Amino acid sequence: MKIKNYINGEYVNPISNNWIENYNPSIGEVYGQLPDSNSQDVEIAYKAAETAFQSWSETTLDERSQILSKIAKLIIEKLPELAMAEAKDNGKPIHVAKSIDIPRASANFQFFANAITQFASEAHESVGQNAINFTLRQPIGVVGCISPWNLPLYLFTWKIAPAIAAGNCVVAKPSEITPMTAYLLGEILTEAGLPKGVLNIIHGLGTTTGQAIVEHPNIKAISFTGGTKTGVHIAKVAAPMFKKLSLELGGKNPAIIFSDCDYNEMLQTTVRSSFANQGQICLCGSRIFVEASIYQKFKTDFIAAVCKLKVGSPFNNNTDIGALVSKTHLNKVKSYVDNAEQYGGKVVFGGNLVAVESSENGYYLEPTIIEVNDNSCILNQEEIFGPVVTIMPFNEESEVLAMANDVSYGLSATLWTNDLKRTMRVSKQLDAGIVWVNTWLLRDLRTPFGGMKNSGVGREGGLEALRFFTEPKNICIKYN
Ligand code: NDP
Protein backbone atom coordinates (compact mmCIF):
# COMPACT_ATOMS: atom_id res chain seq x y z
CA MET A 1 0.00 0.00 0.00
CA LYS A 2 1.61 3.23 -1.18
CA ILE A 3 0.29 6.53 0.11
CA LYS A 4 0.83 9.49 -2.22
CA ASN A 5 0.88 13.23 -1.94
CA TYR A 6 -2.27 15.03 -3.07
CA ILE A 7 -1.17 18.10 -5.02
CA ASN A 8 -3.27 20.20 -7.38
CA GLY A 9 -6.06 17.64 -7.17
CA GLU A 10 -3.87 14.69 -8.21
CA TYR A 11 -2.16 11.89 -6.33
CA VAL A 12 1.59 12.12 -7.03
CA ASN A 13 4.82 10.45 -5.90
CA PRO A 14 7.44 12.46 -4.02
CA ILE A 15 10.06 14.02 -6.28
CA SER A 16 12.90 12.14 -4.57
CA ASN A 17 11.02 8.83 -4.84
CA ASN A 18 12.03 8.23 -1.22
CA TRP A 19 9.55 6.49 1.03
CA ILE A 20 8.97 5.97 4.74
CA GLU A 21 7.55 2.79 6.28
CA ASN A 22 4.10 2.99 7.79
CA TYR A 23 3.35 0.77 10.80
CA ASN A 24 0.22 -0.89 12.06
CA PRO A 25 0.73 -0.48 15.83
CA SER A 26 -1.79 -3.17 16.75
CA ILE A 27 0.51 -5.86 15.34
CA GLY A 28 3.80 -3.94 15.24
CA GLU A 29 4.27 -4.51 11.51
CA VAL A 30 4.89 -2.36 8.46
CA TYR A 31 1.86 -2.32 6.19
CA GLY A 32 2.64 0.42 3.74
CA GLN A 33 4.79 3.30 2.66
CA LEU A 34 4.35 7.03 2.56
CA PRO A 35 6.24 9.76 0.72
CA ASP A 36 9.35 11.17 2.34
CA SER A 37 8.62 14.58 0.85
CA ASN A 38 11.14 17.38 0.83
CA SER A 39 11.15 21.12 0.21
CA GLN A 40 10.73 20.60 -3.57
CA ASP A 41 7.42 18.81 -3.00
CA VAL A 42 6.36 21.57 -0.65
CA GLU A 43 7.28 24.15 -3.29
CA ILE A 44 5.16 22.39 -5.93
CA ALA A 45 2.26 22.24 -3.48
CA TYR A 46 2.75 25.89 -2.62
CA LYS A 47 2.68 26.87 -6.32
CA ALA A 48 -0.55 24.92 -6.83
CA ALA A 49 -2.08 26.65 -3.83
CA GLU A 50 -0.88 30.07 -4.94
CA THR A 51 -2.35 29.56 -8.41
CA ALA A 52 -5.70 28.46 -6.99
CA PHE A 53 -5.91 31.30 -4.49
CA GLN A 54 -7.36 34.14 -6.51
CA SER A 55 -10.24 32.18 -7.89
CA TRP A 56 -10.98 30.37 -4.60
CA SER A 57 -10.90 33.56 -2.55
CA GLU A 58 -13.48 35.07 -4.92
CA THR A 59 -15.79 32.06 -4.82
CA THR A 60 -19.12 33.01 -3.25
CA LEU A 61 -19.73 31.97 0.33
CA ASP A 62 -22.64 29.82 -0.82
CA GLU A 63 -20.45 27.90 -3.22
CA ARG A 64 -17.70 27.38 -0.63
CA SER A 65 -20.28 26.35 1.92
CA GLN A 66 -21.84 23.81 -0.44
CA ILE A 67 -18.48 22.21 -1.25
CA LEU A 68 -17.61 21.94 2.46
CA SER A 69 -21.01 20.37 3.16
CA LYS A 70 -20.44 17.89 0.36
CA ILE A 71 -17.08 16.91 1.88
CA ALA A 72 -18.82 16.45 5.25
CA LYS A 73 -21.45 14.23 3.66
CA LEU A 74 -18.91 12.10 1.79
CA ILE A 75 -16.90 11.56 4.98
CA ILE A 76 -20.02 10.08 6.59
CA GLU A 77 -20.71 7.94 3.49
CA LYS A 78 -17.17 6.57 3.73
CA LEU A 79 -17.22 6.23 7.51
CA PRO A 80 -16.58 2.45 7.69
CA GLU A 81 -13.55 2.66 5.40
CA LEU A 82 -12.14 5.74 7.16
CA ALA A 83 -12.70 4.28 10.64
CA MET A 84 -10.96 1.07 9.63
CA ALA A 85 -8.01 3.06 8.25
CA GLU A 86 -7.78 5.16 11.43
CA ALA A 87 -7.83 2.11 13.71
CA LYS A 88 -5.18 0.35 11.64
CA ASP A 89 -2.91 3.37 11.41
CA ASN A 90 -3.27 4.65 14.97
CA GLY A 91 -4.16 1.59 17.09
CA LYS A 92 -7.32 3.15 18.53
CA PRO A 93 -10.41 0.96 19.00
CA ILE A 94 -12.42 0.94 15.79
CA HIS A 95 -15.65 1.70 17.66
CA VAL A 96 -13.99 4.93 18.89
CA ALA A 97 -12.97 5.87 15.35
CA LYS A 98 -16.54 5.10 14.18
CA SER A 99 -18.32 7.01 16.91
CA ILE A 100 -15.90 9.89 17.55
CA ASP A 101 -13.02 10.53 15.15
CA ILE A 102 -14.72 10.20 11.78
CA PRO A 103 -18.07 11.79 12.70
CA ARG A 104 -16.13 14.70 14.19
CA ALA A 105 -14.06 15.09 11.00
CA SER A 106 -17.33 15.40 9.10
CA ALA A 107 -18.73 17.80 11.72
CA ASN A 108 -15.66 20.02 11.33
CA PHE A 109 -16.46 20.56 7.65
CA GLN A 110 -20.20 20.94 8.26
CA PHE A 111 -19.63 23.40 11.11
CA PHE A 112 -17.42 25.69 9.02
CA ALA A 113 -19.70 25.29 5.99
CA ASN A 114 -22.36 26.96 8.15
CA ALA A 115 -20.08 29.29 10.11
CA ILE A 116 -18.64 30.99 7.04
CA THR A 117 -22.12 32.10 5.99
CA GLN A 118 -22.57 33.76 9.40
CA PHE A 119 -19.11 35.29 9.76
CA ALA A 120 -19.47 39.03 10.18
CA SER A 121 -17.06 41.86 10.83
CA GLU A 122 -17.39 45.05 12.80
CA ALA A 123 -18.22 48.65 11.82
CA HIS A 124 -17.35 51.67 13.94
CA GLU A 125 -18.87 55.03 13.31
CA SER A 126 -16.49 57.85 14.28
CA VAL A 127 -19.16 60.05 15.78
CA GLY A 128 -18.69 63.77 15.22
CA GLN A 129 -16.06 63.17 12.54
CA ASN A 130 -18.35 62.15 9.70
CA ALA A 131 -16.45 58.95 9.18
CA ILE A 132 -17.29 55.29 9.23
CA ASN A 133 -14.83 52.51 9.78
CA PHE A 134 -15.46 48.95 8.85
CA THR A 135 -13.29 45.87 9.05
CA LEU A 136 -12.67 43.71 6.03
CA ARG A 137 -11.80 40.13 6.88
CA GLN A 138 -9.72 38.95 3.93
CA PRO A 139 -8.22 35.50 3.43
CA ILE A 140 -4.50 35.41 4.11
CA GLY A 141 -3.39 33.54 0.98
CA VAL A 142 -1.56 30.24 1.27
CA VAL A 143 -1.51 28.85 4.82
CA GLY A 144 0.11 25.79 6.41
CA CYS A 145 -1.67 23.26 8.62
CA ILE A 146 0.33 20.67 10.57
CA SER A 147 -1.37 18.09 12.76
CA PRO A 148 -0.42 15.26 15.17
CA TRP A 149 -1.10 11.52 15.30
CA ASN A 150 -3.45 11.15 18.25
CA LEU A 151 -6.70 12.19 16.53
CA PRO A 152 -5.50 12.09 12.94
CA LEU A 153 -8.44 13.03 10.70
CA TYR A 154 -10.28 14.83 13.52
CA LEU A 155 -7.46 17.35 14.10
CA PHE A 156 -6.34 17.56 10.46
CA THR A 157 -9.83 18.65 9.39
CA TRP A 158 -10.22 20.95 12.41
CA LYS A 159 -7.59 23.17 10.78
CA ILE A 160 -8.25 22.65 7.10
CA ALA A 161 -12.00 23.28 7.19
CA PRO A 162 -11.86 26.85 8.60
CA ALA A 163 -8.80 27.66 6.48
CA ILE A 164 -10.52 26.88 3.19
CA ALA A 165 -13.92 28.15 4.38
CA ALA A 166 -12.28 31.55 4.90
CA GLY A 167 -11.01 31.54 1.31
CA ASN A 168 -7.40 30.47 1.82
CA CYS A 169 -5.52 27.75 -0.03
CA VAL A 170 -3.64 25.22 2.07
CA VAL A 171 -0.49 23.15 2.20
CA ALA A 172 -1.18 20.58 4.91
CA LYS A 173 0.85 17.86 6.56
CA PRO A 174 -0.57 15.10 8.75
CA SER A 175 1.69 13.24 11.15
CA GLU A 176 4.03 10.85 9.39
CA ILE A 177 2.96 8.25 11.99
CA THR A 178 -0.72 8.35 10.94
CA PRO A 179 -1.00 9.50 7.31
CA MET A 180 -3.71 7.13 6.08
CA THR A 181 -6.97 9.03 6.57
CA ALA A 182 -5.46 12.29 5.31
CA TYR A 183 -4.47 10.34 2.19
CA LEU A 184 -8.02 9.01 1.76
CA LEU A 185 -9.39 12.53 2.18
CA GLY A 186 -7.85 13.41 -1.21
CA GLU A 187 -10.41 11.27 -3.08
CA ILE A 188 -13.20 12.88 -1.12
CA LEU A 189 -12.01 16.38 -1.98
CA THR A 190 -11.96 15.51 -5.66
CA GLU A 191 -15.40 13.90 -5.51
CA ALA A 192 -16.80 16.91 -3.66
CA GLY A 193 -15.58 19.20 -6.44
CA LEU A 194 -13.06 21.17 -4.42
CA PRO A 195 -11.12 23.10 -7.08
CA LYS A 196 -7.60 21.88 -7.78
CA GLY A 197 -4.87 23.37 -5.63
CA VAL A 198 -7.14 24.65 -2.86
CA LEU A 199 -6.00 21.91 -0.50
CA ASN A 200 -2.68 20.13 -0.99
CA ILE A 201 -1.71 17.27 1.31
CA ILE A 202 1.97 16.49 1.67
CA HIS A 203 3.33 13.53 3.60
CA GLY A 204 6.70 13.22 5.25
CA LEU A 205 8.75 13.80 8.35
CA GLY A 206 8.17 16.78 10.60
CA THR A 207 11.78 17.76 10.46
CA THR A 208 11.86 17.91 6.65
CA THR A 209 8.34 18.29 5.21
CA GLY A 210 6.92 20.13 8.23
CA GLN A 211 10.01 22.27 8.50
CA ALA A 212 9.81 23.19 4.78
CA ILE A 213 6.21 24.38 5.25
CA VAL A 214 7.13 26.50 8.27
CA GLU A 215 10.24 27.89 6.52
CA HIS A 216 8.43 28.76 3.30
CA PRO A 217 8.56 32.56 3.07
CA ASN A 218 5.20 32.87 1.31
CA ILE A 219 3.19 30.56 3.54
CA LYS A 220 2.00 33.36 5.76
CA ALA A 221 0.23 31.56 8.57
CA ILE A 222 0.80 28.26 10.35
CA SER A 223 -1.78 26.39 12.37
CA PHE A 224 0.05 23.71 14.31
CA THR A 225 -1.09 21.11 16.82
CA GLY A 226 1.56 18.97 18.46
CA GLY A 227 4.13 18.85 21.21
CA THR A 228 5.33 21.93 23.09
CA LYS A 229 8.96 21.37 22.08
CA THR A 230 8.02 21.35 18.40
CA GLY A 231 5.86 24.42 19.00
CA VAL A 232 8.84 26.31 20.43
CA HIS A 233 10.91 25.36 17.41
CA ILE A 234 8.20 26.42 14.95
CA ALA A 235 7.76 29.75 16.75
CA LYS A 236 11.50 30.41 16.43
CA VAL A 237 11.55 29.65 12.71
CA ALA A 238 8.38 31.63 11.99
CA ALA A 239 9.08 34.72 14.12
CA PRO A 240 11.63 36.47 11.83
CA MET A 241 9.11 36.16 8.96
CA PHE A 242 6.29 37.55 11.17
CA LYS A 243 4.04 34.64 10.35
CA LYS A 244 0.68 34.39 12.00
CA LEU A 245 0.81 31.40 14.35
CA SER A 246 -1.77 29.29 16.10
CA LEU A 247 -0.09 26.76 18.37
CA GLU A 248 -2.13 24.06 20.13
CA LEU A 249 0.41 22.25 22.29
CA GLY A 250 0.72 19.82 25.16
CA GLY A 251 -1.16 19.58 28.43
CA LYS A 252 -0.89 18.19 31.94
CA ASN A 253 -4.47 18.69 32.94
CA PRO A 254 -5.78 18.52 36.49
CA ALA A 255 -8.98 16.69 37.41
CA ILE A 256 -10.11 18.19 40.74
CA ILE A 257 -12.61 16.13 42.67
CA PHE A 258 -14.47 17.57 45.68
CA SER A 259 -16.40 15.33 48.06
CA ASP A 260 -19.74 17.03 47.26
CA CYS A 261 -19.75 15.89 43.63
CA ASP A 262 -22.12 13.35 42.03
CA TYR A 263 -19.83 10.48 42.87
CA ASN A 264 -20.90 7.80 40.41
CA GLU A 265 -20.98 10.14 37.46
CA MET A 266 -17.58 11.52 38.47
CA LEU A 267 -16.11 8.02 38.75
CA GLN A 268 -17.38 6.90 35.35
CA THR A 269 -16.25 10.08 33.63
CA THR A 270 -12.86 10.07 35.34
CA VAL A 271 -12.15 6.60 33.93
CA ARG A 272 -12.92 8.04 30.49
CA SER A 273 -11.00 11.29 30.98
CA SER A 274 -7.98 9.27 32.09
CA PHE A 275 -7.84 6.53 29.47
CA ALA A 276 -9.87 7.49 26.40
CA ASN A 277 -7.83 6.97 23.23
CA GLN A 278 -5.17 5.20 25.36
CA GLY A 279 -4.72 8.47 27.27
CA GLN A 280 -3.39 10.04 24.07
CA ILE A 281 -5.63 13.11 24.07
CA CYS A 282 -4.15 16.47 24.94
CA LEU A 283 -7.26 17.08 27.09
CA CYS A 284 -7.04 13.94 29.23
CA GLY A 285 -7.05 14.61 32.96
CA SER A 286 -3.69 13.14 33.86
CA ARG A 287 -3.29 14.59 37.38
CA ILE A 288 -6.20 13.55 39.57
CA PHE A 289 -6.57 15.45 42.84
CA VAL A 290 -9.17 14.07 45.26
CA GLU A 291 -10.46 15.67 48.46
CA ALA A 292 -8.93 13.76 51.37
CA SER A 293 -12.27 12.77 52.93
CA ILE A 294 -13.15 10.58 49.91
CA TYR A 295 -9.63 9.75 48.73
CA GLN A 296 -9.44 6.14 49.99
CA LYS A 297 -12.91 5.32 48.67
CA PHE A 298 -12.05 6.90 45.32
CA LYS A 299 -8.77 5.01 45.10
CA THR A 300 -10.50 1.66 45.72
CA ASP A 301 -13.40 2.35 43.35
CA PHE A 302 -11.20 3.85 40.63
CA ILE A 303 -8.88 0.84 40.65
CA ALA A 304 -11.90 -1.50 40.53
CA ALA A 305 -13.34 0.39 37.55
CA VAL A 306 -10.04 0.60 35.66
CA CYS A 307 -9.48 -3.10 36.30
CA LYS A 308 -12.52 -3.80 34.09
CA LEU A 309 -11.10 -1.98 31.07
CA LYS A 310 -10.23 -4.42 28.30
CA VAL A 311 -6.89 -3.95 26.58
CA GLY A 312 -7.00 -5.55 23.16
CA SER A 313 -7.00 -5.43 19.41
CA PRO A 314 -8.51 -2.22 18.00
CA PHE A 315 -10.69 -4.39 15.79
CA ASN A 316 -12.58 -6.06 18.67
CA ASN A 317 -15.72 -4.21 19.52
CA ASN A 318 -15.31 -4.87 23.24
CA THR A 319 -11.81 -3.34 23.42
CA ASP A 320 -11.58 -0.28 25.65
CA ILE A 321 -7.87 0.34 25.28
CA GLY A 322 -6.16 -0.33 21.97
CA ALA A 323 -2.51 -0.07 21.02
CA LEU A 324 -0.29 2.93 21.61
CA VAL A 325 0.62 4.67 18.39
CA SER A 326 4.24 3.54 17.97
CA LYS A 327 7.02 1.55 19.55
CA THR A 328 8.95 4.73 20.31
CA HIS A 329 5.97 6.26 22.03
CA LEU A 330 5.25 3.06 23.98
CA ASN A 331 8.85 3.04 25.23
CA LYS A 332 8.60 6.67 26.27
CA VAL A 333 5.37 6.13 28.21
CA LYS A 334 6.66 2.90 29.76
CA SER A 335 9.85 4.60 30.94
CA TYR A 336 7.79 6.94 33.15
CA VAL A 337 6.07 3.89 34.67
CA ASP A 338 9.33 2.00 35.14
CA ASN A 339 10.90 5.00 36.87
CA ALA A 340 7.80 5.81 38.90
CA GLU A 341 9.37 4.97 42.27
CA GLN A 342 12.50 6.95 41.53
CA TYR A 343 10.23 9.87 40.62
CA GLY A 344 8.43 9.62 43.96
CA GLY A 345 5.38 7.64 42.86
CA LYS A 346 3.92 4.21 43.56
CA VAL A 347 2.19 2.18 40.86
CA VAL A 348 -1.09 1.08 42.42
CA PHE A 349 -2.56 -0.44 39.29
CA GLY A 350 -1.27 -1.61 35.89
CA GLY A 351 2.11 -0.67 34.52
CA ASN A 352 2.75 -3.81 32.46
CA LEU A 353 2.95 -4.44 28.76
CA VAL A 354 0.14 -6.62 27.47
CA ALA A 355 0.59 -9.47 24.99
CA VAL A 356 -2.66 -9.49 23.04
CA GLU A 357 -3.52 -12.83 21.47
CA SER A 358 -2.53 -13.02 17.79
CA SER A 359 -1.07 -9.51 18.07
CA GLU A 360 1.85 -10.22 20.37
CA ASN A 361 4.09 -7.62 18.72
CA GLY A 362 1.54 -4.82 19.11
CA TYR A 363 2.20 -1.86 21.39
CA TYR A 364 -0.12 -2.51 24.31
CA LEU A 365 0.15 -1.18 27.85
CA GLU A 366 -2.16 -1.67 30.82
CA PRO A 367 -4.00 1.40 32.04
CA THR A 368 -1.81 2.59 34.86
CA ILE A 369 -2.53 4.46 38.09
CA ILE A 370 0.35 5.97 40.05
CA GLU A 371 -0.11 7.39 43.53
CA VAL A 372 2.02 10.47 44.23
CA ASN A 373 2.36 12.76 47.22
CA ASP A 374 4.10 15.76 45.74
CA ASN A 375 2.83 17.72 42.75
CA SER A 376 6.33 18.87 41.89
CA CYS A 377 7.43 15.34 40.95
CA ILE A 378 8.25 14.60 37.30
CA LEU A 379 5.18 12.39 36.99
CA ASN A 380 2.99 15.41 37.70
CA GLN A 381 5.02 17.91 35.74
CA GLU A 382 5.82 16.23 32.40
CA GLU A 383 3.30 15.26 29.76
CA ILE A 384 3.30 11.45 29.53
CA PHE A 385 0.54 11.27 26.87
CA GLY A 386 -0.39 7.63 27.43
CA PRO A 387 -2.67 5.48 29.60
CA VAL A 388 -1.04 6.72 32.79
CA VAL A 389 -2.55 8.96 35.49
CA THR A 390 -1.48 10.05 38.93
CA ILE A 391 -3.74 10.31 41.98
CA MET A 392 -3.16 12.41 45.06
CA PRO A 393 -5.27 13.69 48.00
CA PHE A 394 -5.78 17.33 49.01
CA ASN A 395 -7.35 19.06 52.00
CA GLU A 396 -8.12 22.65 51.06
CA GLU A 397 -9.49 24.40 48.01
CA SER A 398 -6.56 26.85 48.02
CA GLU A 399 -4.10 23.96 48.22
CA VAL A 400 -5.54 22.11 45.22
CA LEU A 401 -5.81 25.29 43.20
CA ALA A 402 -2.15 26.04 43.81
CA MET A 403 -1.17 22.49 42.76
CA ALA A 404 -3.42 22.55 39.70
CA ASN A 405 -1.73 25.73 38.51
CA ASP A 406 1.79 24.75 39.52
CA VAL A 407 2.73 23.24 36.17
CA SER A 408 4.09 24.73 32.96
CA TYR A 409 0.99 23.78 30.95
CA GLY A 410 -2.48 25.35 30.92
CA LEU A 411 -4.70 23.54 28.45
CA SER A 412 -7.76 22.20 30.27
CA ALA A 413 -9.05 21.34 33.74
CA THR A 414 -11.92 19.28 35.07
CA LEU A 415 -13.74 20.23 38.24
CA TRP A 416 -16.16 18.00 40.16
CA THR A 417 -18.36 19.80 42.68
CA ASN A 418 -21.98 20.81 43.21
CA ASP A 419 -21.07 24.02 45.00
CA LEU A 420 -21.88 26.88 42.63
CA LYS A 421 -19.80 29.47 44.43
CA ARG A 422 -16.79 27.18 44.46
CA THR A 423 -17.35 26.40 40.78
CA MET A 424 -17.04 30.06 39.91
CA ARG A 425 -14.17 30.78 42.32
CA VAL A 426 -12.04 27.87 41.16
CA SER A 427 -12.88 28.10 37.45
CA LYS A 428 -11.88 31.75 37.36
CA GLN A 429 -8.54 31.07 39.01
CA LEU A 430 -7.49 27.98 37.07
CA ASP A 431 -4.74 28.50 34.49
CA ALA A 432 -6.55 26.72 31.67
CA GLY A 433 -8.05 27.53 28.31
CA ILE A 434 -10.98 25.20 28.99
CA VAL A 435 -12.60 24.24 32.31
CA TRP A 436 -15.12 21.40 32.37
CA VAL A 437 -17.36 21.33 35.42
CA ASN A 438 -19.04 17.99 36.19
CA THR A 439 -18.24 16.71 32.71
CA TRP A 440 -15.29 16.13 30.40
CA LEU A 441 -14.68 16.69 26.70
CA LEU A 442 -18.15 18.01 26.10
CA ARG A 443 -17.38 20.04 23.00
CA ASP A 444 -19.43 22.74 21.34
CA LEU A 445 -17.62 23.71 18.16
CA ARG A 446 -18.59 27.36 18.56
CA THR A 447 -16.40 27.77 21.64
CA PRO A 448 -12.80 29.02 21.67
CA PHE A 449 -10.36 26.14 21.95
CA GLY A 450 -6.74 26.36 23.07
CA GLY A 451 -4.45 26.74 26.01
CA MET A 452 -2.49 29.10 28.22
CA LYS A 453 1.18 29.00 29.25
CA ASN A 454 3.16 26.26 27.46
CA SER A 455 -0.04 24.78 26.04
CA GLY A 456 -0.03 27.22 23.20
CA VAL A 457 -0.78 30.54 21.66
CA GLY A 458 -4.09 31.63 20.16
CA ARG A 459 -7.46 29.96 19.98
CA GLU A 460 -9.14 27.85 17.33
CA GLY A 461 -12.76 26.79 17.16
CA GLY A 462 -15.84 28.71 16.14
CA LEU A 463 -15.32 32.21 14.87
CA GLU A 464 -11.87 32.30 16.49
CA ALA A 465 -10.63 29.97 13.76
CA LEU A 466 -12.14 32.16 11.03
CA ARG A 467 -10.51 35.18 12.66
CA PHE A 468 -7.16 33.39 12.68
CA PHE A 469 -7.42 32.47 9.02
CA THR A 470 -8.30 36.01 7.90
CA GLU A 471 -6.43 39.29 7.92
CA PRO A 472 -8.46 42.14 9.40
CA LYS A 473 -8.21 45.37 7.45
CA ASN A 474 -9.69 48.62 8.74
CA ILE A 475 -11.23 50.82 6.06
CA CYS A 476 -12.06 54.37 7.15
CA ILE A 477 -14.38 56.43 4.92
CA LYS A 478 -14.87 60.14 5.48
CA TYR A 479 -18.21 61.15 4.01
CA ASN A 480 -18.70 64.89 4.17
P1 NDP B 1 4.88 16.52 17.40
O1 NDP B 1 5.11 17.88 17.88
O2 NDP B 1 5.99 15.56 17.38
O3 NDP B 1 4.32 16.54 15.91
C1 NDP B 1 3.17 17.25 15.49
C2 NDP B 1 3.26 17.49 14.02
O4 NDP B 1 4.35 18.37 13.75
C3 NDP B 1 3.54 16.24 13.19
O5 NDP B 1 2.89 16.34 11.95
C4 NDP B 1 5.04 16.30 13.05
O6 NDP B 1 5.50 15.55 11.97
C5 NDP B 1 5.24 17.78 12.83
N1 NDP B 1 6.59 18.28 13.10
C6 NDP B 1 7.57 17.73 13.86
N2 NDP B 1 8.68 18.51 13.82
C7 NDP B 1 8.40 19.57 13.02
C8 NDP B 1 9.13 20.70 12.57
N3 NDP B 1 10.40 20.92 12.91
N4 NDP B 1 8.51 21.60 11.76
C9 NDP B 1 7.24 21.41 11.39
N5 NDP B 1 6.50 20.33 11.76
C10 NDP B 1 7.07 19.43 12.57
O7 NDP B 1 3.65 15.99 18.24
P2 NDP B 1 3.02 14.55 18.20
O8 NDP B 1 2.65 14.18 16.80
O9 NDP B 1 3.90 13.64 18.97
O10 NDP B 1 1.65 14.79 18.96
C11 NDP B 1 1.50 14.69 20.31
C12 NDP B 1 1.51 16.05 20.96
O11 NDP B 1 0.47 16.86 20.42
C13 NDP B 1 1.27 16.00 22.45
O12 NDP B 1 2.19 16.81 23.11
C14 NDP B 1 -0.12 16.56 22.60
O13 NDP B 1 -0.37 17.14 23.84
C15 NDP B 1 -0.19 17.53 21.49
N6 NDP B 1 -1.58 17.79 21.15
C16 NDP B 1 -2.11 19.02 21.46
C17 NDP B 1 -3.44 19.29 21.21
C18 NDP B 1 -4.03 20.63 21.50
O14 NDP B 1 -5.06 20.94 20.92
N7 NDP B 1 -3.43 21.46 22.32
C19 NDP B 1 -4.33 18.26 20.63
C20 NDP B 1 -3.65 17.03 20.35
C21 NDP B 1 -2.32 16.82 20.60
P3 NDP B 1 5.90 13.98 12.12
O15 NDP B 1 5.01 13.36 13.10
O16 NDP B 1 5.65 13.51 10.78
O17 NDP B 1 7.33 13.96 12.51
Side-chain angles (χ1 to χ4, degrees):
M1 166 77 218
K2 250 185 180 168
I3 284 173
K4 298 194 174 185
N5 289 332
Y6 180 79
I7 303 180
N8 208 24
E10 310 279 341
Y11 281 121
V12 293
N13 288 340
I15 300 281
S16 65
N17 205 27
N18 288 337
W19 302 84
I20 302 166
E21 290 180 332
N22 191 22
Y23 279 78
N24 172 345
S26 71
I27 51 171
E29 282 175 15
V30 173
Y31 80 103
Q33 291 182 311
L34 65 137
D36 182 6
S37 307
N38 59 29
S39 57
Q40 282 178 293
D41 301 289
V42 170
E43 185 58 28
I44 295 169
Y46 166 74
K47 282 272 184 309
E50 188 198 24
T51 307
F53 177 65
Q54 181 148 4
S55 155
W56 180 245
S57 62
E58 288 172 0
T59 308
T60 65
L61 296 184
D62 267 358
E63 258 178 88
R64 270 188 234 160
S65 175
Q66 275 167 26
I67 293 175
L68 265 74
S69 287
K70 183 89 196 284
I71 298 172
K73 201 166 147 253
L74 288 170
I75 290 176
I76 294 299
E77 277 173 24
K78 293 178 196 266
L79 189 145
E81 182 193 350
L82 290 166
M84 174 60 84
E86 207 71 295
K88 196 166 175 183
D89 221 17
N90 173 278
K92 69 177 66 207
I94 189 160
H95 62 87
V96 173
K98 275 185 188 160
S99 60
I100 297 173
D101 291 71
I102 308 305
R104 172 59 190 275
S106 169
N108 288 339
F109 278 105
Q110 192 54 59
F111 177 84
F112 286 105
N114 299 336
I116 195 61
T117 66
Q118 304 299 314
F119 187 41
S121 62
E122 312 83 46
H124 301 91
E125 188 180 3
S126 301
V127 177
Q129 299 182 78
N130 288 344
I132 180 95
N133 289 273
F134 64 92
T135 309
L136 268 190
R137 284 263 166 196
Q138 294 176 297
I140 296 169
V142 180
V143 300
C145 297
I146 302 176
S147 58
W149 48 257
N150 61 331
L151 301 164
L153 194 63
Y154 175 133
L155 288 176
F156 193 59
T157 53
W158 179 234
K159 300 179 173 307
I160 286 163
I164 61 175
N168 300 286
C169 293
V170 177
V171 178
K173 189 194 97 64
S175 171
E176 149 242 338
I177 302 167
T178 53
M180 196 62 199
T181 46
Y183 166 66
L184 296 174
L185 185 66
E187 285 168 18
I188 292 176
L189 303 176
T190 304
E191 201 178 331
L194 186 74
K196 290 179 180 207
V198 172
L199 175 50
N200 304 278
I201 302 169
I202 310 286
H203 299 273
L205 297 170
T207 46
T208 50
T209 316
Q211 180 82 13
I213 294 173
V214 178
E215 278 178 350
H216 198 291
N218 296 324
I219 297 182
K220 296 291 187 197
I222 303 288
S223 169
F224 167 81
T225 297
T228 295
K229 239 176 154 172
T230 317
V232 169
H233 174 77
I234 288 177
K236 275 189 193 154
V237 175
M241 291 177 272
F242 302 107
K243 290 190 186 210
K244 220 174 167 186
L245 280 187
S246 169
L247 303 175
E248 303 284 342
L249 309 176
K252 189 72 186 176
N253 312 305
I256 304 172
I257 299 168
F258 285 96
S259 58
D260 70 332
C261 68
D262 292 335
Y263 187 84
N264 290 335
E265 201 179 329
M266 174 280 294
L267 189 67
Q268 244 183 351
T269 307
T270 305
V271 172
R272 207 163 55 83
S273 67
S274 302
F275 301 113
N277 207 42
Q278 297 68 249
Q280 301 168 143
I281 304 182
C282 54
L283 304 163
C284 279
S286 51
R287 294 181 295 149
I288 304 174
F289 298 107
V290 187
E291 195 166 2
S293 58
I294 59 163
Y295 181 74
Q296 285 308 329
K297 175 173 166 52
F298 172 82
K299 183 174 153 186
T300 307
D301 293 345
F302 188 52
I303 291 174
V306 173
C307 187
K308 291 191 192 128
L309 295 176
K310 283 208 163 53
V311 179
S313 161
F315 307 105
N316 285 347
N317 275 332
N318 62 356
T319 290
D320 297 303
I321 304 211
L324 271 71
V325 77
S326 69
K327 182 91 190 220
T328 315
H329 188 59
L330 174 71
N331 290 341
K332 182 193 141 191
V333 173
K334 182 77 167 55
S335 79
Y336 281 100
V337 178
D338 292 343
N339 289 312
E341 251 178 63
Q342 186 194 324
Y343 295 152
K346 182 175 165 217
V347 177
V348 292
F349 184 79
N352 302 303
L353 298 178
V354 180
V356 168
E357 206 188 323
S358 321
S359 306
E360 285 77 9
N361 294 325
Y363 314 136
Y364 300 94
L365 179 66
E366 286 175 336
T368 302
I369 308 169
I370 306 177
E371 191 169 42
V372 297
N373 56 21
D374 181 356
N375 182 57
S376 66
C377 71
I378 286 177
L379 297 163
N380 264 32
Q381 293 294 316
E382 294 185 5
E383 187 185 41
I384 299 174
F385 213 59
V388 178
V389 291
T390 66
I391 55 172
M392 179 176 171
F394 69 88
N395 290 299
E396 300 291 332
E397 180 182 307
S398 56
E399 177 198 1
V400 74
L401 194 51
M403 291 194 292
N405 287 342
D406 187 17
V407 71
S408 63
Y409 297 103
L411 187 55
S412 72
T414 308
L415 180 59
W416 290 94
T417 179
N418 277 314
D419 181 332
L420 183 58
K421 290 177 185 161
R422 176 154 60 205
T423 297
M424 282 313 296
R425 257 192 330 264
V426 176
S427 301
K428 280 178 88 169
Q429 292 178 82
L430 280 167
D431 293 345
I434 305 150
V435 179
W436 279 294
V437 182
N438 299 330
T439 184
W440 176 73
L441 201 47
L442 196 163
R443 292 280 295 123
D444 181 324
L445 301 191
R446 292 169 300 178
T447 58
F449 180 89
M452 298 164 66
K453 304 202 291 199
N454 291 1
S455 291
V457 177
R459 294 292 183 274
E460 297 189 347
L463 299 182
E464 299 292 337
L466 295 176
R467 289 193 189 105
F468 174 75
F469 283 115
T470 51
E471 194 70 74
K473 182 185 285 174
N474 174 52
I475 300 194
C476 175
I477 304 175
K478 177 103 169 114
Y479 54 76
N480 68 331

